[in-house]
Amino acid sequence: MADRLLTVAEAGDLLGTGERFVRRLIAERRIRYVKLGRPVRIPESAIADYIEVRTVEPVRRIRARYGKAA
């Protein structure tokens, strides 16, 4: 099944940013997009991939003993 194609404004809403940021991602070719003549559309899967690749997982440190006296 084909992805829904989002406008630049819709993609910005999904990312929580403005259109300018999405247009910069497109200009720098940091996100997949579809060119339909002059209009540009971004597949929903491209937004999901962009978020997944840039998600930073927390680091869990194992603490040594609590309350260790000096």
Side-chain angles (χ1 to χ4, degrees), residues 8 19-33 35 40 42:
V8 173
E19 290 183 36
R20 187 174 180 177
F21 178 73
V22 177
R23 291 193 185 281
R24 193 173 85 216
L25 291 177
I26 291 168
E28 294 173 358
R29 296 182 186 258
R30 292 170 46 197
I31 195 166
R32 287 185 297 120
Y33 63 94
K35 188 100 166 135
V40 175
I42 298 102

Side-chain angles (χ1 to χ4, degrees), residues 2-63:
D3 279 340
R4 182 170 160 242
L5 296 177
L6 305 171
T7 64
V8 173
E10 291 171 333
D13 289 341
L14 277 179
L15 289 172
T17 64
E19 290 183 36
R20 187 174 180 177
F21 178 73
V22 177
R23 291 193 185 281
R24 193 173 85 216
L25 291 177
I26 291 168
E28 294 173 358
R29 296 182 186 258
R30 292 170 46 197
I31 195 166
R32 287 185 297 120
Y33 63 94
V34 178
K35 188 100 166 135
L36 303 170
R38 183 171 180 182
V40 175
R41 300 290 185 258
I42 298 102
E44 275 185 315
S45 63
I47 299 293
D49 292 343
Y50 181 82
I51 292 170
E52 184 177 335
V53 168
R54 283 156 183 81
T55 299
V56 178
E57 296 296 327
V59 177
R60 295 195 63 168
R61 291 192 280 175
I62 300 173
R63 291 185 154 193

